[in-house]
Structure formats: C-alpha cells, structure tokens
Amino acid sequence: MVTVKLFGTLRIDSGVKCFQAEAGSVRDLYPLVLREIYAHDPGSSVTGKALQSCLVAVNGKQVSPRAKLRDGDEVYLFPAVAGG
Amino acid sequence: MTNYGGYMGRVVLLDLSTKKVSNYVWTDLDREKYIGGKAMASKILYDNLTGKESPFGEDNLIVIATGPLTGTGAPSSNRFDISSLSPLTGITSSSNCGGNFGYYLKRAGIDALIIKGKCGSPTWIEIDNGSFLFHDAAVVWGLKASESQAAVQKLLNDSHGKAVRCGIATIGPAGENLVRYASVISGERAAGRAGMGAVFGSKNLKAIAAMGDQTPKIFDPERSAAHRKKWVNYIRSHPLTGSQLPKLGTAGLVSTMQVRGLLSTRNYAKGQFEGFEAVSGEALTEEQLVSNNGCLSCPIRCTRMVKVDGKKVKGPELETLGLLGGNIENRDLDLICRWNYELDELGMDTISAAGTLAWAMEANEKGLWDNGLRFGQVDKLSQVFDDIAHRRGIGNELAEGSKRLSEKYGGADFAIQSKGMELAAYEPRRAVGQGLGYAVANRGGCHLNGGYLVVLEGLGMNVNGQTPRGKADLCMVMQDIMEAISLGGQCLFTSYGIVPGFMVDKPNSLLAKTVNAVVPCLGPAVRVINKVPEIACFNLPLIPYPYELNYTVGMKMNIGKFIRTGERSYNVERAVNARFGVSAANDKLPKRLTDVPQDPNNPKTRVPLEQMKRTYYRARGWEKNGLPGEKKLRRLGIKSW
C-alpha cells in the first residue's frame, strides 16, 4: 500500500488531496489516480495525459515516472510550476 | 517634453529642505538609452551621488520612477520603482511595487520624482496635476500603512470637497523609526526591499499622494491595441500565467521547492521542511483563500486575498510562506497570514524581517545572543514584529538586519544575506546558478535582481541545478532581460510566458528532457548574444516587450537592443555602487551556502561561487575586481566615472 498525494493545479482542479492505493510502480498508479479523481468528481477535466505530464517524487525525492514502488512509499504528483 | 508616446515628458526634482520644485533635464536620448524605471533611477543616482553620501543623510536622493508603459493599459504594466542609497546595504538599491501610485503619478503629469533634502517636521505631499502642496503630517505620523492611506484620502476628500481618485505611497511606523528594512506601501502592495521606507522616514516624509487627469498618448493606438489583445490572450492561455499563478499564486511553488530541496528550512540549514504541507500554496488556497486580486491592468491576478480578524487582506507570497514557515520551523498558516498583514501594516519587508529573525533564533541557540527567540516557538512573534517597528527591546537590535547583528554578536557564517540584504526563500545549494545570482546581484541578496536562474534549475524547467556549467552566461542574460522588462513598468511575471508551454505541460517528454539537458551547454552561444546582442536585430512573438515599446512608445526596439538596454541598466547601477565601495569582494554568500554541502553525502550540494564569479565577470566584460572598466562603460554609452 502506498500513499498518493496530489499537489499544485492537479489538486486544485481535481479536489483530491490524498489517498491510498496498491501499485508496483508509478505508472501503475495513473489509472488509480484517475479513478479516484472521477470518483470524487465525475465531471473532472483532469485527463490521463495531464497526469502523465506530472513530475513525480517518492519519499521526498524526484524520480522518473518509471520508478518502482514499495509498500509504505509516499508518492507526490505535481505539475511543473514557475515564478515567485 | 518628449516626442515619444507613453511618457508624460516631465521629471521633477523636489527639494524637501527648501520646498523648491524644479524640472530635471531628461531628454529623449536618455529615454532611448534607459527607457524608465530602475535604469532611469540608476542613471540619475549615477549622475548625482559621489560616494560620500549616507543613507539617512539629507544629501541622499530618492528616485520614484515609472516606465513608459505605466498607465497606458499594457498588460501588467502599472509598476513603479523606488531607488535610493539603502540603509540596509549602504549601496544604491531599488524596490519595485505594484501599487497604484505609479499610475496616478503619471495622471499627475510626471514620469519620475527625485526627492532630496529633509522636511523640518513630519510632512505629506500632495501632487495635483503637477502642482505640489506640502502638508503637516502630525495627524498621520505614527499610523499604520492602511490607516495612513485612509487618513490622507480623507484629508484630500475634505479639502477638494469631493471623493478624490488618487494613488498614495506611504510608510508605516517601521519607516518612521528607521528600521533598516522598512518598506513603502501603496494600496496593499509594498516596495518591500532595501529599506526605502526608512529613507522616507529619515526625510520626515510620511506619504505622497498623486492625482490628475492627464493620460499618456499612445504612439500607434491601432497596432498597440491589436498587439495587446494577442498578448493578453497568450498570457491567459499559458499554463503558468493563465492557470498556475491565478489558481495558486506564487505560493504554489512551496511544494515543488520542497521536492527539489530548494525550500529554505531552519535558517537555510536544510532545503526541505517536514511540515511543508501545512504552509503550502495548496493549503493557502484550500483553507484561507477568499478571492483573487491583481494590480491595475493585470490579466494574471495572482494575489491571494485571505481573512485576518474578519478583514479581507492580501495573503502571503511564496517568499513569506517559506521564510516565516520552514525557515523558522513554523507550521501555522493562520499565523503567517496574520504576520504578513501585520508586517505590511507596520511597513516592513517580510523577507528581511523573517531572515533576521531566523538568524536571531540560531544565534540564541548557539549561545551567541541571549534573545529568547527559538525555532518553532512562534506564538509571540506578532509582538516581536511590533517591537522591531517601534525599536523596542530586542526589536531595536533586530531592526538592524542580520549582517549588522552578526558583526556584533558573531555568526556571520549563518547570516543568510549578501551585501547586507537577506536572501529570499530559494535555498541555492540545489540551484547553484541562483546562488551565483544572489551573490552578484547589484542590490544584494535578491532572487530577481540575481537573474532568477532557479526558474530554470527546478521550477519552470528542470535544468541540472548542481552544475556550474553555463550558469554565468545564463545568469547575465537573464539579469539583463529581466532588468529590461521592468524598465517599461511591467511585472516580471509576464516573462513566464517566455518559458515554452511544452516545458510546463509536458516536462517528461523527450523534447523537454533534451532542452533541459542542453541548456547548460549553451554557454558559448549565450556568450555570443551577451557580447553582441545586436545580432538579434529582430523580434519574436515569444518576447512581446519590444513590440509593445515599438507600438506604444514609438521606440525602434528589437530583441538585441532590448537586451543591451538591460545590460546598460545593470552596468550603470554597478558603476554607481562602485563609488560606495562595491567590488568582487562584496559578491559573496555566507559560508553555510558555499562551504557546507546541503547533503553531507554529496559534496556537490553547495554553491561553487568563486569559480562561477570569475566566469560571470568575464561574461560581463568586467575587470577582475568585478567592476566595469572605462572601456566597457564607454561601449554602453555611459560616461566614465
């Protein structure tokens, strides 16, 4: 079981902050994240493409979307940002 | 007078000692070379300051300058600049503000205001269509920023017998009490950095109100309007300016900075804060946001309006969230919103106040200064800020800033400042180009004046933040472009449109990855542009600023000339600062950032400053002492000093 946290506009647009899921890799997570988002808001505009464009961090460190996951991992998904 | 559009054609010299108002000679040739804003101010300071003046002396000057686009309706263009000899850094510095004062200064028929001398007693000034009235400020002296503006507004309404539309720039108690990082406030916006408010206070100048019915003419109204329409549409459709900034504000960066190890934590001892989620942009939007707001003529509207004590006020920016969050180990977002409001009301820079506070907490922890301040113990900080503004107890010492305090008590290695100015919330050991920028920035430890390379090194893009390769040349070109953008009066946030959309929308794509990998190798190509920007004698839709200057102002501008103007601005500011003793020796960072790796297991996670500095000076065409020589200044059309 991993904990998934959404950040940035992905979180604001979807209304989903955090949930738990069973997944062996980040890629395996994508459909689960989409399912969670649509369960929360069936009319959500978030797409699978948008999700795959997100940057990914596992346990606080940025990783490739191909990274494997282990039980207890904390996964962050966030779109690129700029400027302050 | 001027033949250009956009300008009002009048620069005023105001002597507070004699109350004499005169016109300052500023020609169209000056306008072509310096455009306006900060560059104009730097040139005026260069022509008038000898190096013997002191920040609180009567001989110090304040230059309040607008750009030619201010008041013309160009997107995000109503900013104004305040420049002076800074009491925080001891060198000339500038502060840029999005409040409405600049717009109304132009309505009063004035492009820039040069203030010298000192009022005999507290005074506020009314500028009505170019006429100046001096008023006793006894009734407003001591008032906080919003109270002062309300009181001045009421006095104007009463004296004019009607509701007057005006722009007001005021100081709060911090400026009156010469807190070295006091700000000037206009509306809810602050000219926050470098202590411009304290210079106002030293001159017994509480506030300036400007009004009038004059408007700048547009050189080519049809083409200008058509270009703006396209530009506004682009800003609204770009993922950063059309989505991220309106939805999350600058606060949206906290989470990304956390993941990238860029979030200042525990006085920059670390780059990640365990409790970041509680003080993130997402939390601010979900728990505090009441509505968005924006500066005049801005289509981005990034301001977060929040409630403090039931009152709708401006919420904190990223820098304030970082520095009053993880950097002092605080997880209470309510408190940050409150402090942000209180600091604005007291008229104090949130960055320097927070940076000084973090230093004091660590100094206390290390036994250097027994001041009662501790990381994570934050319940009484409102009182501490009030004490700083009124210079009471330890507040009187904190009002001096971290550099002076570390000179008194020790602890320079962890005084996170450069040239006396506290750094913003970006921890540079994971973005070494940003570290170089902090060190060489003319005004001191400023993220923007430093070129803001962190936007390439982990925010908008994902360029390797640990390599020094190419960073000196990139730093220079970014500094010059950002400098040039601000000269017209425009907000730097418009420049995020320059980051190609695919870098933001598809950061995992092969193209984005290739661009990120190639950028550090672009040094030699960037060097050519830096050396001879005139080869870019064309315009591109991605860089809309020269078009705007062409159509609204009537200047024959292209990308190359635009970059050269930014370079001229940067050099003239460096040249005047040289008179106040600035050289390569002042371009430094505290040892914590240059000598101590952020990750003890990775020696690369520190800023290799000396190596990058040498390359930077070469890129700038400066001498080894870090200063522009006579030949360099001559090439830029600046008379030798």
Side-chain angles (χ1 to χ4, degrees):
Chain A
M1 188 75 77
V2 298
T3 303
V4 184
K5 291 186 173 180
L6 274 52
F7 289 97
T9 48
L10 180 65
R11 172 157 145 186
I12 303 301
D13 291 344
S14 70
V16 174
K17 288 185 196 176
C18 174
F19 67 97
Q20 297 209 307
E22 291 277 4
S25 72
V26 173
R27 280 190 171 165
D28 293 346
L29 266 183
Y30 292 139
L32 305 178
V33 176
L34 271 186
R35 198 173 66 193
E36 188 73 20
I37 288 172
Y38 291 135
H40 183 264
D41 173 12
S44 174
S45 58
V46 177
T47 62
K49 234 179 178 178
L51 216 51
Q52 286 173 37
S53 294
C54 282
L55 300 169
V56 188
V58 175
N59 302 327
K61 287 193 175 163
Q62 200 179 330
V63 297
S64 147
R66 279 174 293 194
K68 300 279 179 208
L69 297 174
R70 282 184 301 194
D71 201 32
D73 279 348
E74 195 168 71
V75 184
Y76 297 168
L77 293 172
F78 54 101
V81 292
Chain B
M1 291 300 293
T2 176
N3 291 316
Y4 282 122
Y7 298 100
M8 307 312 295
R10 187 178 178 209
V11 176
V12 169
L13 175 61
L14 176 61
D15 188 334
L16 298 178
S17 303
T18 61
K19 296 192 169 46
K20 190 182 163 200
V21 178
S22 55
N23 287 333
Y24 185 87
V25 176
W26 190 255
T27 66
D28 275 354
L29 184 60
D30 294 320
R31 291 183 182 93
E32 284 161 25
K33 282 168 74 173
Y34 298 98
I35 299 180
K38 180 170 176 263
M40 181 183 190
S42 294
K43 177 62 165 58
I44 290 167
L45 294 175
Y46 180 75
D47 288 341
N48 290 280
L49 295 182
T50 62
K52 290 180 183 155
E53 298 79 3
S54 62
F56 291 146
E58 286 188 33
D59 49 2
N60 189 12
L61 300 179
I62 301 169
V63 184
I64 305 178
T66 63
L69 303 177
T70 308
T72 65
S76 316
S77 66
N78 280 300
R79 301 190 71 85
F80 66 98
D81 177 272
I82 306 180
S83 293
S84 188
L85 192 53
S86 160
L88 186 65
T89 62
I91 56 178
T92 68
S93 197
S94 66
S95 201
N96 197 270
C97 180
N100 63 4
F101 179 78
Y103 169 80
Y104 281 100
L105 188 64
K106 290 188 78 166
R107 298 276 298 180
I110 294 167
D111 288 320
L113 193 56
I114 307 163
I115 301 168
K116 69 174 186 178
K118 178 180 179 177
C119 301
S121 59
T123 299
W124 70 273
I125 296 170
E126 175 185 348
I127 310 172
D128 186 356
N129 265 322
S131 299
F132 287 71
L133 284 171
F134 294 80
H135 298 283
D136 181 0
V139 291
V140 284
W141 198 256
L143 295 183
K144 292 179 177 175
S146 67
E147 296 166 344
S148 169
Q149 291 181 86
V152 167
Q153 180 74 58
K154 185 172 184 312
L155 289 167
L156 285 169
N157 293 349
D158 291 347
S159 66
H160 287 253
K162 62 176 183 182
V164 169
R165 296 186 73 177
C166 66
I168 300 169
T170 187
I171 59 171
E176 296 169 12
N177 294 309
L178 309 186
V179 174
R180 289 186 185 273
Y181 41 86
S183 53
V184 175
I185 305 285
S186 174
E188 285 196 297
R189 289 275 165 184
R193 306 233 66 192
M196 298 296 110
V199 184
F200 267 54
S202 74
K203 295 184 178 300
N204 274 330
L205 180 57
K206 176 69 178 177
I208 311 173
M211 69 192 90
D213 55 11
Q214 301 177 52
T215 49
K217 72 168 200 258
I218 308 290
F219 176 75
D220 185 340
E222 268 180 43
R223 293 176 84 186
S224 174
H227 174 251
R228 280 174 193 181
K229 197 175 168 190
K230 269 196 264 176
W231 192 1
V232 169
N233 286 340
Y234 182 70
I235 286 173
R236 288 191 173 137
S237 64
H238 193 279
L240 295 177
T241 48
S243 178
Q244 183 230 321
L245 280 169
K247 285 178 183 169
L248 287 152
T250 58
L253 295 180
V254 170
S255 307
T256 312
M257 287 164 66
Q258 164 75 11
V259 169
R260 299 258 161 97
L262 295 166
L263 187 62
S264 60
T265 302
R266 210 175 208 279
N267 194 30
Y268 282 72
K270 299 184 280 184
Q272 289 185 314
F273 177 45
E274 216 174 274
F276 79 98
E277 284 181 76
V279 293
S280 66
E282 292 83 355
L284 186 69
T285 297
E286 288 159 356
E287 298 165 19
Q288 306 276 348
L289 183 71
V290 178
S291 64
N292 281 23
N293 204 351
C295 304
L296 280 173
S297 85
C298 181
I300 302 172
R301 296 178 67 78
C302 64
T303 306
R304 324 267 78 200
M305 298 304 287
V306 300
K307 278 203 169 166
V308 173
D309 292 338
K311 192 177 169 191
K312 197 167 150 185
V313 299
K314 177 171 71 72
E317 302 286 342
L318 169 273
E319 283 75 19
T320 313
L321 285 168
L323 294 170
L324 287 174
N327 209 41
I328 58 167
E329 298 201 327
N330 166 46
R331 297 161 195 245
D332 191 328
L333 187 57
D334 282 347
L335 280 177
I336 299 179
C337 290
R338 172 176 296 281
W339 296 331
N340 183 65
Y341 170 61
E342 288 171 348
L343 286 163
D344 280 355
E345 283 287 277
L346 293 165
M348 230 186 315
D349 177 26
T350 58
I351 297 179
S352 280
T356 302
L357 188 65
W359 175 87
M361 288 173 169
E362 188 162 351
N364 185 37
E365 190 175 78
K366 288 190 156 64
L368 298 174
W369 179 27
D370 182 11
N371 54 39
L373 297 167
R374 284 184 182 80
F375 288 109
Q377 290 189 8
V378 294
D379 52 325
K380 290 182 182 147
L381 290 186
S382 285
Q383 185 60 51
V384 172
F385 293 138
D386 202 63
D387 287 344
I388 295 173
H390 293 92
R391 283 192 171 269
R392 290 184 297 246
I394 60 162
N396 187 36
E397 298 214 61
L398 292 167
E400 293 293 295
S402 61
K403 180 170 184 274
R404 282 176 176 80
L405 285 171
S406 67
E407 285 164 359
K408 180 175 176 182
Y409 292 106
D413 292 357
F414 58 86
I416 309 300
Q417 51 80 29
S418 181
K419 301 189 183 81
M421 181 182 279
E422 287 72 19
L423 270 55
Y426 308 93
E427 214 280 38
R429 287 177 292 184
R430 294 279 186 178
V432 299
Q434 181 65 45
L436 170 68
Y438 276 137
V440 299
N442 276 335
R443 78 168 174 176
C446 169
H447 53 303
L448 300 171
N449 198 217
Y452 204 46
L453 252 62
V454 70
V455 80
L456 308 181
E457 296 176 303
L459 299 183
M461 289 171 65
N462 199 11
V463 172
N464 182 349
Q466 299 303 163
T467 179
R469 194 174 176 194
K471 299 292 170 67
D473 297 288
L474 287 166
C475 182
M476 175 181 162
V477 77
M478 292 275 285
Q479 284 174 327
D480 291 348
I481 289 174
M482 288 168 74
E483 194 89 345
I485 290 169
S486 80
L487 304 185
Q490 289 193 295
C491 177
L492 292 175
F493 289 0
T494 55
S495 67
Y496 300 133
I498 298 175
V499 178
F502 70 86
M503 297 299 297
V504 184
D505 278 343
K506 294 174 183 163
N508 298 320
S509 67
L510 183 63
L511 181 58
K513 282 181 180 170
T514 308
V515 172
N516 284 324
V518 164
V519 165
C521 310
L522 292 178
V526 176
R527 204 168 305 148
V528 172
I529 293 173
N530 283 339
K531 278 214 160 100
V532 201
E534 286 78 10
I535 57 171
C537 56
F538 49 81
N539 282 315
L540 291 171
L542 206 59
I543 304 178
Y545 310 96
Y547 289 113
E548 189 65 41
L549 290 167
N550 284 338
Y551 303 148
T552 301
V553 183
M555 274 181 186
K556 289 191 171 58
M557 189 60 73
N558 57 42
I559 293 172
K561 277 189 188 174
F562 190 65
I563 295 173
R564 186 67 97 189
T565 308
E567 187 194 10
R568 185 176 298 114
S569 173
Y570 217 83
N571 276 266
V572 76
E573 191 178 24
R574 185 77 172 184
V576 68
N577 278 342
R579 291 186 191 144
F580 291 92
V582 163
S583 70
N586 302 84
D587 292 339
K588 58 184 184 184
L589 292 173
K591 281 188 179 169
R592 170 161 290 168
L593 304 179
T594 55
D595 294 18
V596 184
Q598 189 195 77
D599 175 357
N601 299 316
N602 183 356
K604 277 189 172 177
T605 55
R606 58 177 194 85
V607 183
L609 182 60
E610 290 306 315
Q611 172 193 351
M612 288 192 292
K613 259 170 70 176
R614 282 192 295 274
T615 323
Y616 175 81
Y617 296 149
R618 271 201 305 274
R620 280 239 171 255
W622 290 353
E623 314 281 333
K624 282 184 181 160
N625 62 4
L627 297 174
E630 228 177 287
K631 199 172 149 192
K632 175 73 189 176
L633 291 175
R634 211 171 37 241
R635 278 188 60 195
L636 291 168
I638 303 166
K639 276 187 197 163
S640 170
W641 45 284

